[in-house]
Each structure stands twice: as C-alpha cells, then as structure tokens.
Amino acid sequence: MDERKLLVRFGTVIATEIRTRIWKMEQEENLYQLSQYPPAGLHELKGKYAGLFAVNLTGNWRLIIRGYIARTMEWIMI
C-alpha cells in the first residue's frame, strides 16, 4: 500500500504507526526476534484469523501479518 493511500484510509497517526511497525519488522529475520520488543505486542490470533499474528499499533488498532522468515513478510490490512 502506498503512503498516500495509507494517509487517506487511516489518517496521519495510524499511517505513521503502520510504516514504523513495517520498518521494524523488516529489520528482523523472524517473529521470535520481533517478539523480544514489548511495544510490538506480538500475539497469535485465534478463530477465523487462526494462523495469523498481530502487532499493536495504537489503541485498538492492530497490524495483522502472516509469519515470515528472512525478510519475506506479508502483511494484511483488515
């Protein structure tokens, strides 16, 4: 998703958090490394989102991702 679409869809605060969180994830090799930083709030999802993970953005906002290895992350906006 390009930056303009992020700003239009989510506003400045959430768009900034999304970009920051994705940048941090790109610096790591796997989810274990990401889970070592408390602000991430990495947790596995259940129910209809089983098999996916989420990281905290702000308040009730989460970025939902699939597990990843060696910088081949896939992220999903729901």
Side-chain angles (χ1 to χ4, degrees):
M1 189 174 274
D2 68 37
E3 294 206 21
R4 173 93 174 115
K5 287 181 182 178
L6 279 176
L7 287 171
V8 169
R9 184 169 177 183
F10 300 106
T12 304
V13 173
I14 301 298
T16 300
E17 288 296 322
I18 291 169
R19 287 191 307 266
T20 301
R21 186 66 68 204
I22 290 172
W23 178 83
K24 287 179 181 178
M25 287 189 287
E26 289 173 339
Q27 307 309 305
E28 306 300 343
E29 292 292 325
N30 56 49
L31 286 174
Y32 176 76
Q33 290 175 335
L34 182 64
S35 71
Q36 300 305 299
Y37 303 104
L42 176 69
H43 55 281
E44 189 171 0
L45 300 175
K46 298 176 182 159
K48 72 178 188 177
Y49 297 110
L52 300 175
F53 296 84
V55 292
N56 297 334
L57 294 175
T58 64
N60 292 327
W61 286 88
R62 308 287 180 268
L63 180 64
I64 299 174
I65 59 173
R66 295 187 197 277
Y68 66 99
I69 298 172
R71 305 188 199 309
T72 57
M73 175 185 56
E74 177 180 358
W75 55 283
I76 304 167
M77 295 304 300
I78 297 179

